[in-house]
Amino acid sequence: MAKLTIEDLKKMSWDEFYGTPLKDKLKFFEKDGNLFDCLFAQQFSRPLLEKLFETATRIRTIAKSKGGMDWLQTLLSNKRAMLYFVQPSTRTFLSFQSACYILGLKVSEIRSTSTSSELKGESPEDTIRTFSSYADLIIMRHFQEGFAEKSAYILNKTKRPVRIINGGSGKDQHPTQALLDMYTLNLSFSNRGGIDNKTIMMVGDLKRGRTVRSLTHLLKHYKNVKLIYVAPEYLKIEDDIKVFLKKNKMPFIESDDLVKNLKYADAVYMTRIQDEYDVNNESKSIDYTKFHLKKEMLKHLKKDTIIMHPLPRRKELDIEIDNDPRAMYWRQERNGMWIRAALIATMFGIGDEILKFANQ
């Protein structure tokens, strides 16, 4: 079968496009070989990840001085961003808002469909077209799986395409959370040979946790990474992830025993139960307490193991762990601001300018 061209993809109906294998349509979200829309973790290669990590670190260094911050804020001062967050969010919203401010973008926001013309019956698709008239970048968090992709599909077929960043799409993906998770792993292991050859344990609601899905996809770019998935039977990783792991020859095990596996981990990635996706309150029947990390369990960890969490947390991560030097989740949260600024800069083609400034 001949490779699909951009024109072939543009001629497709949405249903045809959505049903097309991801690998065959990723180029639709690029421009001149560079990232235009950020929708999937699969869009990141290892060279791109490493360049983003370097750019993020340079931005945070430049921003330490007033002169540096003033310069950063000139870079995209002629651009406008729309934060369209109709699914609850604290960290992702504030992180992106701050990243935009760092680079000088003017920001507008919609936090609920009740404050837009969707309340009057306007379709979500028309709402996106409306936003595109006023913004150069739309960052969205939406409860509907595939909606960020559909928005990019619509706008990339117009005469004025506008960049889209997926800030969380239903149970599907959260690529920029995975990006900040990888940045945190990269910083944490910088004196230990990097992410290669590490064992990453992911704990909790792995079936519905979109951060786990996206992070798994990014870890394929690193050598000899081993994965331990610890979850209740009902919340185990789904088959598509297992197929992905086997295809990419990524060793993994599944378990329901948290304590038994702690000693093997270089990083423990905790997650909360995603009961907002319940159909019939099924989460209430799951004993999640066996998947809570308590302070007394830290004795089973290596001295240099790091503890992560995408937040918000509930009882699965003991607050008494917060002051342990291995706890990285608050640093992880702040890392999100810097790596998202680096992503936006790269999408607008100013990443190299930042790297050159830092080297002066």
Side-chain angles (χ1 to χ4, degrees):
M1 181 178 175
K3 288 186 177 181
L4 295 170
T5 66
I6 296 296
E7 290 307 312
D8 291 333
L9 293 165
K10 283 185 176 180
K11 291 175 184 177
M12 289 182 177
S13 68
W14 164 241
D15 287 340
E16 291 172 328
F17 186 89
Y18 193 54
T20 299
L22 184 56
K23 63 181 177 61
D24 295 330
K25 59 185 176 182
L26 283 180
K27 58 181 172 288
F28 188 78
F29 308 114
E30 299 176 355
K31 188 173 183 180
D32 300 323
N34 297 314
L35 196 65
F36 187 78
D37 302 298
C38 178
L39 308 173
F40 310 101
Q42 292 93 321
Q43 291 177 271
F44 297 108
S45 63
R46 181 159 178 170
L48 178 55
L49 286 170
E50 291 177 349
K51 188 170 185 179
L52 286 168
F53 298 160
E54 183 182 5
T55 305
T57 299
R58 296 295 177 85
I59 289 173
R60 72 195 304 167
T61 300
I62 296 169
K64 288 179 180 178
S65 71
K66 183 179 185 303
M69 180 62 87
D70 288 346
W71 178 79
L72 286 168
Q73 291 179 337
T74 68
L75 295 178
L76 293 177
S77 59
N78 63 327
K79 301 296 182 182
R80 295 160 294 179
M82 166 62 72
L83 294 174
Y84 179 52
F85 275 57
V86 295
Q87 191 180 39
S89 172
T90 301
R91 276 150 291 277
T92 304
F93 179 87
L94 289 174
S95 178
F96 269 119
Q97 184 185 58
S98 299
C100 288
Y101 290 158
I102 288 168
L103 297 172
L105 284 102
K106 310 299 187 296
V107 178
S108 302
E109 63 181 77
I110 296 287
R111 299 294 299 268
S112 169
T113 56
S114 65
T115 62
S116 74
S117 290
E118 289 184 57
L119 188 64
K120 302 175 184 178
E122 181 176 62
S123 70
E125 292 80 7
D126 280 359
T127 296
I128 294 300
R129 287 296 303 267
T130 298
F131 293 162
S132 72
S133 298
Y134 304 101
D136 303 288
L137 169 67
I138 301 172
I139 304 165
M140 62 172 62
R141 186 185 187 94
H142 206 277
F143 50 82
Q144 182 181 330
E145 291 178 37
F147 188 71
E149 180 183 352
K150 188 174 188 179
S151 299
Y153 160 84
I154 291 169
L155 295 182
N156 286 352
K157 293 171 67 173
T158 69
K159 293 181 179 179
R160 188 179 182 274
V162 170
R163 294 167 176 83
I164 298 285
I165 295 179
N166 178 5
S169 179
K171 294 179 289 184
D172 187 17
Q173 283 216 24
H174 198 347
T176 66
Q177 176 67 48
L179 193 59
L180 75 91
D181 293 341
M182 292 295 291
Y183 184 45
T184 302
L185 289 169
N186 185 69
L187 290 173
S188 300
F189 298 146
S190 60
N191 295 322
R192 296 173 53 195
I195 301 171
D196 292 331
N197 305 306
K198 299 300 184 292
T199 297
I200 314 296
M201 178 192 290
M202 303 190 199
V203 184
D205 191 342
L206 309 184
K207 177 180 181 178
R208 302 175 295 186
R210 59 193 175 195
T211 65
V212 168
R213 299 176 65 82
S214 295
L215 181 55
T216 297
H217 279 289
L218 290 188
L219 286 168
K220 82 163 190 177
H221 298 299
Y222 293 81
K223 297 176 183 177
N224 195 34
V225 170
K226 299 175 183 177
L227 294 161
I228 303 173
Y229 294 103
V230 179
E233 180 65 29
Y234 179 74
L235 301 177
K236 292 167 62 176
I237 53 170
E238 296 203 288
D239 288 343
D240 65 313
I241 294 296
K242 296 177 189 177
V243 170
F244 170 82
L245 291 163
K246 292 172 183 175
K247 180 180 178 181
N248 288 281
K249 298 179 180 179
M250 297 171 66
F252 72 97
I253 64 170
E254 294 183 86
S255 175
D256 62 0
D257 193 328
L258 173 59
V259 174
K260 176 184 174 182
N261 288 286
L262 286 174
K263 62 184 177 183
Y264 302 114
D266 295 297
V268 178
Y269 191 92
M270 300 297 299
T271 68
R272 67 177 176 85
I273 196 163
Q274 308 277 313
D275 50 14
E276 64 267 36
Y277 297 116
D278 278 2
V279 177
N280 293 306
N281 293 317
E282 56 267 28
S283 294
K284 293 185 182 302
S285 64
I286 299 171
D287 181 6
Y288 209 64
T289 60
K290 294 189 294 184
F291 305 91
H292 290 181
L293 186 64
K294 299 292 186 180
K295 185 177 180 180
E296 58 266 25
M297 296 178 183
L298 298 188
K299 63 187 179 184
H300 299 289
L301 293 175
K302 294 184 248 182
K303 291 181 179 180
D304 54 3
T305 295
I306 66 169
I307 304 165
M308 299 172 64
H309 195 303
L311 302 176
R313 67 173 163 191
R314 296 181 186 172
K315 294 181 180 180
E316 73 280 349
L317 183 57
D318 194 338
I319 61 171
E320 292 185 4
I321 295 173
D322 288 6
N323 292 324
D324 190 285
R326 292 168 290 189
M328 290 293 161
Y329 33 93
W330 295 114
R331 187 177 301 177
Q332 178 186 355
E333 177 181 341
R334 185 165 174 79
N335 285 341
M337 174 175 64
W338 303 116
I339 196 68
R340 285 172 171 136
L343 174 65
I344 293 169
T346 299
M347 290 174 68
F348 278 99
I350 60 169
D352 289 341
E353 188 174 348
I354 290 169
L355 294 175
K356 288 177 183 178
F357 178 92
N359 282 323
Q360 291 177 354

